[in-house]
Amino acid sequence: LPRSTRDELLEMLTDGDEPWRRLVGEALGQLRGDEETAGLLVKMFQERPESRFTRSAILNALGSMQVKSILPDLVGMIGEGYDDEEWIVGAIGRISDSATRLELYEQLSKPLRPKTRSEIIRVLGQSKDPAVMGRVKGALQESSKEQRVILLDVLARSRDPSHSEAVRAVLDYATDPQVRKQAIRALGQFGDAESAARLVQLIDGGSRQDRTAALSAIRNVRRMETVNSLAEKWDDLGDQARIAVLGSGTNLSRPLGPIVEVAGEAIRSTDRKLRTASAVVLGRSRDPKAIDSLVWLMRNAESGSERSVAITGLLSIGTKEAAEEGLRALDVVPNARQRESYERQFNKVLDKFAGVPQR
């Protein structure tokens, strides 16, 4: 890029129309490895431009340019009162190497703005850097309860089951409710079978706070094998645990196996939450055997929202039979406009099987 053009773009970051500055930043971000331009952008940011558009464009450009020599300058800005400090951390995260991530880790022990701390936790967790994770796990037992909550959050953001044992160990000795809540949340984020088994134990024998946190954590599990391992224990679960397990099934793009089987049973439950979650699981399974159950829920729904979930399930299955059965049951929809909308959607499915060109 000619330097004259580069200089014009830099000028536009402060003098151009604000909505266009994002595009200017994207253009400058294409100058990968250009240390001179990166240095000018850092200097421009250090002058604390008033416009958020300018600050955002500068940091987006720096993140894209991947110039590691500016990392000390960016890290040095943390805690210096810059506006939108969390954006600085985000830019560091896009460029950083292991050494810089360890520097960010050290920042967590200092007074920080809540948004800045949250962004550092996100950057470190999503990096899954072994050096950082090793440092975090090593500090778990010796940290204060406030710091332990932060460290557990870093591990949770990684969603890495290899940290499950360390987090489960926290539950063996920690008594502080916030620490226990964060550890339980982390187990749900990991989503492995051993973590899920511990969550079930907490539901069965933990304190009221532990049970509440464990139920929420189970709903966040996103691993098919873990969801099905929980579904296989269906007969031993209480009502709230069953709702949580079906909730985890709704996280799957296409549920298969035991979770679909228990959803087929639970959709006729007297518990509305069980019925609704079951309908979502059955629809996403795209299993034609679920059609009768979803039509049953259409006809026996206690509310319009519950009926809508059943109809969405039939549309998700997307077969000719599902559309035809859905159309036959539309007489239960009292609102004429809504009924016509569902009718159009079902007919659109039928048109595909009839070879009608789609708009």
Side-chain angles (χ1 to χ4, degrees), residues 315 318-320 323 344-353:
L315 290 166
T319 63
K320 184 172 182 289
R344 286 194 298 272
Q345 293 178 67
F346 281 126
N347 280 322
K348 192 172 181 179
V349 174
L350 293 176
D351 287 345
K352 287 193 291 188
F353 290 96

Side-chain angles (χ1 to χ4, degrees), residues 121-168:
I121 291 170
R122 184 195 69 79
V123 166
L124 295 180
Q126 292 186 358
S127 75
K128 301 185 180 181
D129 187 325
V132 173
M133 296 304 168
R135 189 76 64 86
V136 168
K137 288 192 286 188
L140 273 177
Q141 291 194 31
E142 61 192 35
S143 298
S144 65
K145 64 182 182 181
E146 292 81 7
Q147 193 69 7
R148 196 172 292 160
V149 169
I150 293 171
L151 298 177
L152 287 166
D153 197 4
V154 173
L155 294 176
R157 298 294 182 103
S158 74
R159 294 184 176 273
D160 186 346
S162 68
H163 308 314
S164 173
E165 184 177 358
V167 173
R168 284 184 278 121

Side-chain angles (χ1 to χ4, degrees), residues 11 28 45 65 85 92 136 145 162 215 261 280 283 286 330 333 351 353:
E11 186 176 345
L28 289 167
F45 194 89
M65 292 173 73
E85 188 178 57
I92 294 170
V136 168
K145 64 182 182 181
S162 68
L215 288 167
E261 295 173 13
V280 174
R286 302 199 290 276
L330 279 181
V333 179
D351 287 345
F353 290 96

Side-chain angles (χ1 to χ4, degrees), residues 145-146 148-149 173-181 209:
K145 64 182 182 181
E146 292 81 7
R148 196 172 292 160
V149 169
Y173 62 79
T175 58
D176 180 77
Q178 284 301 111
V179 172
R180 294 187 66 81
K181 181 179 179 180
Q209 288 178 320

Side-chain angles (χ1 to χ4, degrees), residues 145-353:
K145 64 182 182 181
E146 292 81 7
Q147 193 69 7
R148 196 172 292 160
V149 169
I150 293 171
L151 298 177
L152 287 166
D153 197 4
V154 173
L155 294 176
R157 298 294 182 103
S158 74
R159 294 184 176 273
D160 186 346
S162 68
H163 308 314
S164 173
E165 184 177 358
V167 173
R168 284 184 278 121
V170 172
L171 292 170
D172 292 336
Y173 62 79
T175 58
D176 180 77
Q178 284 301 111
V179 172
R180 294 187 66 81
K181 181 179 179 180
Q182 188 66 278
I184 292 168
R185 172 182 169 271
L187 295 182
Q189 296 295 314
F190 300 151
D192 59 297
E194 290 184 340
S195 293
R198 185 60 179 271
L199 293 174
V200 171
Q201 290 175 0
L202 291 168
I203 291 172
D204 291 339
S207 66
R208 180 178 178 182
Q209 288 178 320
D210 282 356
R211 288 197 299 273
T212 300
L215 288 167
S216 178
I218 285 176
R219 292 189 188 97
N220 287 326
V221 171
R222 298 174 184 275
R223 294 174 180 265
M224 175 87 76
E225 63 274 16
T226 303
V227 172
N228 278 329
S229 73
L230 291 168
E232 288 170 352
K233 300 180 178 67
W234 187 258
D235 291 340
D236 299 325
L237 300 176
D239 288 343
Q240 292 302 308
R242 288 181 172 184
I243 293 171
V245 170
L246 278 170
S248 67
T250 65
N251 295 327
L252 305 175
S253 57
R254 188 173 186 185
L256 298 170
I259 189 65
V260 178
E261 295 173 13
V262 299
E265 300 172 10
I267 198 169
R268 296 173 187 267
S269 165
T270 56
D271 189 298
R272 179 178 169 183
K273 291 182 179 178
L274 276 176
R275 293 196 305 270
T276 302
S278 295
V280 174
V281 169
L282 292 176
R284 291 186 179 175
S285 75
R286 302 199 290 276
D287 186 347
K289 290 184 290 187
I291 294 173
D292 288 346
S293 294
L294 290 168
V295 171
W296 178 89
L297 184 58
M298 273 186 69
R299 294 194 175 281
N300 293 275
E302 295 179 358
S303 67
S305 60
E306 190 177 11
R307 185 178 298 113
S308 177
V309 172
I311 292 171
T312 299
L314 290 170
L315 290 166
S316 296
I317 292 174
T319 63
K320 184 172 182 289
E321 180 187 0
E324 290 174 340
E325 293 298 324
L327 281 170
R328 291 191 188 99
L330 279 181
D331 59 289
V332 299
V333 179
N335 184 289
R337 181 175 296 179
Q338 194 173 45
R339 188 166 61 247
E340 290 172 2
S341 174
Y342 290 142
E343 185 176 359
R344 286 194 298 272
Q345 293 178 67
F346 281 126
N347 280 322
K348 192 172 181 179
V349 174
L350 293 176
D351 287 345
K352 287 193 291 188
F353 290 96

